[in-house]
Amino acid sequence: MEVWAVTLDTSAVEELEELYQRGLSLVDADSQVHLKKYYHRVDRVRGLIGRLLPRLLLKQRGVSVDAVRFSKTDAGKPYIVGLNSRTAVPRFDHILGQITQLKSAIGYNITHDNGVVAMAYSVGSHLYPDPPAYRIGIDAMLLQIPKRDTFPGFVEIFYDQLTDLERSILLPPPPTPPISKQEELRRFYLIWTLKEAYTKALGLGMGFDFSRIEYDVLNDVVRIDGQPPRGWEFTRFELQVGVKGGGVENYVAVTARFIGEDGAPAGKVQSVTEPVWLKLWDSKQFLSIALRELEPSK
């Protein structure tokens, strides 16, 4: 598995307008219409980056975008399929099968929050063979809560989607010493991003009861319905985004990938401080590369 991430200073997004306008020509007409419906410029830019990430991946793997189709499962999970595929997959209504134009099958997932857009992907033998969307997911979130909220009040909003253990980790009962504000946010968003990444990997998203997923963030252990999930690989890491004025935004991210029941220690989450599988760009750099790689030659 690898992760490509693009960072974005949301306070300076107007500086990307020329690159955004040129980048629109790199995506299909339906995507262009969808992106233009966003009211806020930052949403349009994030959306464009999210669509360009898999297209750049295909380009770097020697696959023409014209040879594939970007589609979604009935539950809304994106996937890539070759246009000449013939073998039907019974659980979907689409014409699916082996991705004949791709040298190796590709499974991917996209996340975006504030100043980060990221894509986790696996290819070929690194994918568990369950096409078309494959069980891979990623989620990343900024460590912040609405300015008017207190942390206990914020946690209360999500009360029914957290387990008793998770609530005690977030709001330790006396006589446990209080935790710092930054640690409060880090614990909450690690729990939440893992739940999101797992359900996105399943292709279910919010259709899955999040209280069935328990992440003991203090011991890096996951349980689903009270049991460690066999065959799942969970990895957590952190990102920082520089913003105008010298400030820094802190993000946490979690990836979830099914690799087969004998392929990973059940229920363990790996914490990685310097992931070698992470490729990182700022938004101006990424859009410039995408234009150079994907724009038709004149």
Side-chain angles (χ1 to χ4, degrees):
M1 183 197 69
E2 293 190 33
V3 174
W4 289 5
V6 181
T7 62
L8 171 69
D9 181 355
T10 58
S11 67
V13 70
E14 68 280 353
E15 298 174 7
L16 300 172
E17 184 62 20
E18 181 182 350
L19 289 171
Y20 166 77
Q21 292 297 338
R22 288 177 60 194
L24 275 178
S25 66
L26 305 178
V27 298
D28 57 276
D30 287 344
S31 292
Q32 292 181 30
V33 171
H34 181 81
L35 292 170
K36 289 175 182 178
K37 288 180 179 179
Y38 286 121
Y39 180 78
H40 296 290
R41 178 185 284 137
V42 67
D43 293 323
R44 297 194 293 270
V45 172
R46 277 193 298 246
L48 176 63
I49 291 171
R51 284 164 172 77
L52 290 179
L53 279 165
R55 287 166 169 81
L56 185 60
L57 173 62
L58 289 170
K59 172 69 174 182
Q60 293 193 358
R61 296 188 65 81
V63 178
S64 169
V65 173
D66 294 333
V68 303
R69 174 166 56 93
F70 291 90
S71 192
K72 293 182 179 180
T73 66
D74 293 338
K77 186 175 183 184
Y79 64 89
I80 301 170
V81 67
L83 288 177
N84 292 337
S85 298
R86 290 291 181 265
T87 306
V89 178
R91 54 181 171 162
F92 295 97
D93 294 332
H94 315 290
I95 303 298
L96 303 172
Q98 297 300 313
I99 304 177
T100 55
Q101 287 77 14
L102 306 180
K103 293 179 181 178
S104 299
I106 298 175
Y108 77 102
N109 191 234
I110 303 286
T111 183
H112 56 79
D113 185 54
N114 285 275
V116 167
V117 184
M119 174 181 71
Y121 74 91
S122 285
V123 299
S125 62
H126 296 287
L127 278 170
Y128 188 79
D130 54 353
Y134 302 98
R135 280 178 277 181
I136 183 169
I138 184 171
D139 198 62
M141 296 196 79
L142 173 63
L143 301 188
Q144 71 170 12
I145 61 174
K147 293 181 178 179
R148 294 184 180 181
D149 280 353
T150 64
F151 185 71
F154 182 70
V155 172
E156 181 67 23
I157 296 171
F158 302 93
Y159 186 91
D160 291 340
Q161 298 169 76
L162 300 169
T163 68
D164 290 341
L165 175 63
E166 290 169 337
R167 289 192 290 269
S168 70
I169 288 172
L170 296 173
L171 301 171
T176 307
I179 56 179
S180 69
K181 292 185 181 300
Q182 187 71 4
E183 179 62 12
E184 287 177 338
L185 294 174
R186 192 185 73 87
R187 290 184 184 185
F188 175 83
Y189 282 112
L190 280 173
I191 290 170
W192 196 258
T193 53
L194 184 137
K195 291 172 186 270
E196 289 274 12
Y198 177 69
T199 54
K200 288 173 71 178
L202 291 175
L204 299 176
M206 296 301 288
F208 194 95
D209 181 358
F210 274 20
S211 67
R212 294 174 56 191
I213 309 165
E214 180 174 81
Y215 180 16
D216 178 355
V217 71
L218 300 182
N219 295 297
D220 276 326
V221 173
V222 180
R223 300 177 187 87
I224 311 296
D225 296 328
Q227 299 296 321
R230 293 181 59 84
W232 283 89
E233 177 186 81
F234 298 97
T235 306
R236 64 177 175 92
F237 60 101
E238 301 186 15
L239 295 168
Q240 290 188 325
V241 178
V243 295
K244 273 186 176 180
V248 174
E249 293 179 339
N250 295 298
Y251 293 76
V252 295
V254 174
T255 62
R257 179 171 64 126
F258 187 75
I259 58 176
E261 292 194 357
D262 299 325
K268 291 298 293 181
V269 180
Q270 182 182 13
S271 175
V272 181
T273 55
E274 296 183 3
V276 297
W277 35 259
L278 172 64
K279 186 178 289 188
L280 192 63
W281 297 276
D282 67 45
S283 52
K284 184 175 182 180
Q285 184 183 35
F286 173 77
L287 289 170
S288 298
I289 291 171
L291 284 163
R292 184 175 68 243
E293 294 285 328
L294 300 174
E295 210 168 29
S297 301
K298 294 180 180 179

